[in-house]
Amino acid sequence: MVGEVRDHETAETAIRAALTGHLVFTTLHTNDAAGAIPRIKDIGPDPGLISDALLGVVAQRLVRRICPHCAEPTQPNPELLAILQLDAAQIKKGNWRRGRGCPVCFQSGYWGREAVVEMLEVDDRIRELIYDGTMTQLRRHLSKSDSISFRTSAIEKVMAGVTTVEEVLRVLPRSALKLMSAGEPEPLHLVQRLG
């Protein structure tokens, strides 16, 4: 376990340990899972070593859970659903809920937190992109793959009635919720406070 990678020396130590057969867990401050790759490259280890040592990256944001004591069915806001780009079939089968507010949740409608998770599993193509690719190429590859993104994780939580669209929009950057189409330029990720 390495508490946090912030400098070249710590990154180099973690990479070398991973290359000698140790399973290394560490934290790194980035906006999303894909952002860990340019961040660790900026810190300084050789990209060839990073691509050999890295198994995966998990990013998370915490959203508030709908209060189970005052949860009630609701109709979703079409304007907010448009941001998530859900189709009619998804909207129809969603368990749309909201908390009306009660003494247990201090009238907020939320009680507790739930992780919205994004996972980047490093495969051969991603290893190539780490070594000799751009962030635009990496993001395009991830948008075409079956990787778990903030978008898919957030939609799953909203449709299961765990949290609300409003809460997802409060916590996640809009660019993380947008589907990239072929030929579309890379969305800019704004620096945001981590959840």
Side-chain angles (χ1 to χ4, degrees):
M1 300 288 288
V2 178
E4 183 180 350
V5 172
R6 284 186 176 205
D7 55 44
H8 177 79
E9 184 180 344
T10 310
E12 190 80 27
T13 302
I15 297 285
R16 297 280 178 198
L19 290 172
T20 58
H22 295 85
L23 183 59
V24 178
F25 292 94
T26 189
T27 61
L28 189 66
H29 287 273
T30 63
N31 283 334
D32 56 15
I37 292 170
R39 175 77 175 111
I40 202 160
K41 285 170 81 172
D42 287 346
I43 292 173
D46 180 78
L49 297 178
I50 296 167
S51 67
D52 288 341
L54 191 62
L55 295 176
V57 180
V58 176
Q60 75 171 17
R61 297 286 177 99
L62 297 176
V63 293
R64 296 177 296 173
R65 292 177 60 96
I66 296 168
C67 176
H69 303 282
C70 63
E72 61 185 17
T74 188
Q75 288 298 316
N77 179 329
E79 292 173 10
L80 297 179
L81 291 178
I83 295 169
L84 294 181
Q85 298 171 306
L86 298 178
D87 61 38
Q90 289 174 305
I91 294 169
K92 188 175 180 179
K93 68 179 180 181
N95 179 19
W96 307 103
R97 300 182 331 144
R98 69 175 185 90
R100 76 178 167 278
C102 67
V104 174
C105 65
F106 301 101
Q107 306 303 324
S108 70
Y110 296 100
W111 193 55
R113 302 270 176 168
E114 179 85 11
V116 175
V117 177
E118 180 173 68
M119 193 165 92
L120 184 157
E121 189 174 345
V122 179
D123 59 17
D124 289 338
R125 178 63 182 139
I126 291 177
R127 286 185 206 292
E128 290 172 16
L129 292 170
I130 291 171
Y131 186 71
D132 194 29
T134 66
M135 273 303 288
T136 301
Q137 291 170 322
L138 176 62
R139 290 199 190 278
R140 284 205 180 109
H141 172 73
L142 292 174
S143 71
K144 294 174 190 170
S145 72
D146 291 333
S147 64
I148 300 169
S149 67
F150 276 142
R151 181 179 186 280
T152 56
S153 184
I155 289 171
E156 181 182 297
K157 303 283 185 201
V158 167
M159 292 186 57
V162 172
T163 192
T164 62
V165 177
E166 292 85 357
E167 179 64 5
V168 165
L169 294 175
R170 184 185 72 81
V171 173
L172 294 177
R174 297 282 172 108
S175 58
L177 299 171
K178 188 177 177 198
L179 279 172
M180 275 183 71
S181 58
E184 185 177 339
E186 167 73 11
L188 294 175
H189 285 269
L190 302 175
V191 176
Q192 266 199 338
R193 179 179 60 83
L194 291 174

